[in-house]
Amino acid sequence: MTMAPERTAVRVELLVDQRWFTVCELTDLTPGRGVAALLPDGAQVAVFLDRSGRVYAIGNRDPFTGAYVLSRGLLGSAGGRPFVASPLLKQRFDLETGRCLDDEGVVVQAYTARRAAADGMSAKVA
């Protein structure tokens, strides 16, 4: 018998149109990997949890190929800046600003992300 993973009372929320929007449970994320989520306006976002417990979100569309794949990219850091490398052509996108580290003229949408307790209080990053 397989047991389902224990759910926590901590959600991941994004600031969308000046309102917090819940995209998933924190337990839905694996450190070092991303997941794709759909926003109310139909936009796709790539949501990440780094190994220190911080959450990030950027647009999921790779501007170089047009494919919705950034959530499948590899996490890393360059000069202390967290990034995701596209799984297709390997361009790196800063997870805080959305700016492409390999072509400064290219930017994807970056979202303010937080961990929030079920009672609506912001959760402390572990």
Side-chain angles (χ1 to χ4, degrees):
M1 174 187 256
T2 303
M3 301 281 294
E6 183 179 331
R7 301 298 253 178
T8 65
V10 179
R11 303 179 308 239
V12 175
E13 298 180 338
L14 305 183
L15 190 58
V16 179
D17 295 329
Q18 300 179 353
R19 296 183 66 199
W20 289 104
F21 177 75
T22 301
V23 291
C24 64
E25 298 277 335
L26 185 62
T27 55
D28 293 332
L29 300 177
T30 301
R33 301 214 170 203
V35 298
L38 194 60
L39 297 179
D41 66 359
Q44 285 189 30
V45 294
V47 183
F48 301 94
L49 177 67
D50 71 13
R51 296 195 189 283
S52 69
R54 182 149 182 216
V55 292
Y56 301 94
I58 61 172
N60 195 33
R61 185 177 176 274
D62 180 337
F64 292 94
T65 65
Y68 291 86
V69 296
L70 292 181
S71 62
R72 295 176 180 240
L74 299 174
L75 294 186
S77 65
R81 303 291 302 175
F83 70 79
V84 62
S86 173
L88 298 178
L89 300 177
K90 310 301 185 233
Q91 283 90 357
R92 300 168 300 153
F93 296 91
D94 186 306
L95 290 174
E96 294 177 341
T97 66
R99 185 165 308 283
C100 180
L101 301 177
D102 304 299
D103 183 341
E104 291 190 15
V106 177
V107 179
V108 296
Q109 175 72 42
Y111 296 86
T112 301
R114 71 178 183 185
R115 295 165 45 157
D119 61 8
M121 302 297 292
S122 182
K124 197 173 186 180
V125 174

